[in-house]
Structures are given as structure tokens and as C-alpha cells.
Amino acid sequence: QVQLVEAGGGLVQPGGSLRLSCAASGRTFSSYDMGWFRQAPGREREFVATISMSGSTTDYADSVKGRFTISRDNAKNTVYLQMTSLNAEDTAVYYCAAALSVSRATYRYLYWGQGTQVTVSS
């Protein structure tokens, strides 16, 4: 069992930045590949970014590439999502998740956090 808790969401103006964090407990954090997903009202949950268990490999959705950075600190059992140049289309609930292999598919992830709201508005 792995428990994941996201933090760092909030209200930010267009062009602003936020850093989300996801703290893990339970089984060894470093054994899992991690991902960030988001879900906007009326839309399906979508892939944002993934990072391998070692942190050596990352993958990003085209919509966030160049603006978002995923990272992890295995010593702190934490994964991060640094978001810059935010726009209204980034407004969503953001979720972190753990998987046994890197993937863009939600069904590959075994554990999910509760989500944190990010709202981009002037």
C-alpha cells in the first residue's frame, strides 16, 4: 500500500507559477515510477508528466512541455511538478500517481493521491 498526498495548489494569475508536491508513505517510494495527471470540469483525466523511479527519464504532454518540470527526491519520498507560464487551460485538479512502469495511461497506475486544485484566473 502506498499513500500519496498532493499539496501546493491554489489560485494564480495567468503567466504565474506554482510548484506542486506529492508526499508518499507506505512501500518504498523509489520502487515506483511516478506521474502527474489533471482533470478539468467536464473533461477526462489527462496525462501531464511522468518520471522513472531513478529520475533519469521523463515524459511530458505536448500541452505542458517547456512549461512544466517533473522531478523527484527519493530521499524525501516526494515528487514535484514545477509549473510556469500558467494559463487558464491549466485550471484543473492535479493528481499524482504511482506505477510499476512509466506510462501515459491512467490504468497503469496503482495508487493515486486525493488531488489538489489549481486555478489560473485574473
Side-chain angles (χ1 to χ4, degrees):
Q1 182 69 32
V2 174
Q3 292 80 45
L4 304 172
V5 179
E6 301 96 334
L11 176 64
V12 63
Q13 293 189 341
S17 300
L18 282 175
R19 188 183 73 162
L20 306 182
S21 64
C22 175
S25 62
R27 292 187 177 273
T28 304
F29 174 74
S30 61
S31 297
Y32 294 90
D33 302 302
M34 299 295 297
W36 284 98
F37 296 79
R38 66 186 183 185
Q39 187 167 20
R43 301 194 65 180
E44 296 291 321
R45 188 169 300 185
E46 67 175 350
F47 163 77
V48 175
T50 60
I51 186 167
S52 63
M53 61 181 69
S54 68
S56 62
T57 301
T58 58
D59 187 27
Y60 297 91
D62 289 343
S63 60
V64 307
K65 186 171 293 186
R67 299 189 298 120
F68 291 9
T69 302
I70 188 171
S71 62
R72 67 191 296 165
D73 186 338
N74 288 343
K76 296 182 178 180
N77 293 337
T78 302
V79 63
Y80 303 93
L81 186 68
Q82 178 66 52
M83 306 184 295
T84 63
S85 301
L86 288 164
N87 57 63
E89 288 67 46
D90 297 315
T91 295
V93 176
Y94 284 71
Y95 301 88
C96 69
L100 295 179
S101 61
V102 292
S103 177
R104 294 186 173 200
T106 59
Y107 68 84
R108 295 289 188 183
Y109 288 80
L110 302 178
Y111 305 102
W112 292 82
Q114 83 290 345
T116 186
Q117 176 72 49
V118 172
T119 302
V120 185
S121 177
S122 59

